[in-house]
Amino acid sequence: MSAVTVKVRKPGLKAWLRLIQAEAKMVIRDYAGLIVPLGLPLLILVMQGISIDEMDQELAEGVTVFSYYALPVVISMVVATIAVINMPSFLATYRKTKLLRRLAVTPASPAMVLIAQMVVSFIQVILGIGLAFAVALLFFGADLPLSLWVALAVLLATCAAMYGLGMIVASVAPTPNSSVAIGLVAFFGIAALGGMFGPADNLPDTLQTIGAWLPFGAAVEAFQAAWVGETVEAQNWVVLGGSAVVGAGVAAVLFRWE
């Protein structure tokens, strides 16, 4: 008796678009998950605008003190809240509800969910940064980076680093609630040392050094360099790239689909 070969069709573009659409609907329905990455950075932006003395003073030609200190922090916050808090909580929810296990026996795969979630969360990053820039430009006279392409490269490196940290959170968190809790602790830990509550220069030297070797602080420093047209320090690239690599490595070892 001859064997029967069954050819399994791989998901096409239409399947990918439907999955991304489904992930987007899940994100939109999670109001708290939208308020944190969109609302918290705006709150910090306004607080920075109120508290920074001589906000209109220029550090470089066409770059104000506000733009140099506030916008790098706000951009880093948008990426970090989405990658470290939101994205892991969705993956933990899918794992708890056995959705990923059910997908494993279909032409789709759990990896498709991960990719779709990252696509949707990256769209959130763009929206969050766009909203922050709109408020900063309209109400605080903010400036664009002098080295725009370098700033875009830093943004991509920051996304890779923060998603790497988010995958570590998703790997070690057993439940959705624990995922949010771990993500919040990780976020506030790296953000507090990276300048979220005020310029990192105001921190003690030891804390400044620690913050500079964490992805949030490295991202802020790299964005600040791009804003005034200076060369981004090699340490910043090493920290951001290393965070992405370490995150991917830890996730490969510890992450479980079910």
Side-chain angles (χ1 to χ4, degrees):
M1 184 174 61
S2 60
V4 177
T5 302
V6 178
K7 185 176 181 180
V8 179
R9 292 181 58 188
K10 293 183 178 180
L13 178 60
K14 189 174 181 179
W16 278 100
L17 292 177
R18 284 184 175 178
L19 185 56
I20 292 172
Q21 184 182 27
E23 289 296 314
K25 288 181 179 179
M26 291 289 293
V27 170
I28 293 172
R29 290 169 182 169
D30 181 21
Y31 301 112
L34 288 176
I35 291 174
V36 172
L38 299 182
L40 183 60
L42 286 180
L43 176 62
I44 297 297
L45 180 73
V46 174
M47 291 174 62
Q48 294 269 22
I50 294 173
S51 63
I52 292 177
D53 295 329
E54 299 178 344
M55 184 176 64
D56 296 330
Q57 180 181 347
E58 292 189 352
L59 291 175
E61 185 177 355
V63 178
T64 62
V65 171
F66 171 81
S67 300
Y68 178 81
Y69 283 108
L71 288 177
V73 170
V74 169
I75 293 173
S76 301
M77 282 183 63
V78 171
V79 179
T81 51
I82 292 171
V84 179
I85 302 174
N86 282 14
M87 187 268 293
S89 69
F90 280 104
L91 293 182
T93 300
Y94 295 155
R95 185 165 53 208
K96 180 180 179 181
T97 57
K98 309 297 183 183
L99 173 64
L100 299 178
R101 185 174 66 178
R102 290 195 291 268
L103 280 175
V105 297
T106 69
S109 68
M112 287 183 65
V113 175
L114 175 60
I115 295 172
Q117 179 59 223
M118 286 188 171
V119 169
V120 172
S121 61
F122 188 72
I123 294 173
Q124 290 180 75
V125 168
I126 300 304
L127 292 175
I129 292 175
L131 181 60
F133 259 103
V135 173
L137 291 171
L138 288 174
F139 298 103
F140 297 100
D143 312 293
L144 294 175
L146 293 181
S147 300
L148 184 58
W149 290 110
V150 175
L152 291 175
V154 172
L155 175 60
L156 293 177
T158 301
C159 288
M162 296 303 179
Y163 278 114
L165 182 56
M167 286 305 300
I168 295 177
V169 174
S171 299
V172 301
T175 65
N177 288 339
S178 65
S179 173
V180 173
I182 296 171
L184 283 170
V185 171
F187 166 72
F188 281 109
I190 62 175
L193 295 176
M196 183 174 75
F197 299 113
D201 298 341
N202 296 336
L203 294 172
D205 292 341
T206 302
L207 294 182
Q208 286 187 45
T209 301
I210 295 173
W213 282 98
L214 294 174
F216 194 99
V220 171
E221 289 184 3
F223 277 123
Q224 288 176 337
W227 235 273
V228 294
E230 296 178 354
T231 301
V232 177
E233 293 186 7
Q235 176 183 323
N236 300 144
W237 294 118
V238 169
V239 172
L240 295 175
S243 298
V245 172
V246 170
V250 171
V253 174
L254 299 180
F255 189 82
R256 297 293 179 269
W257 293 115
E258 56 181 293

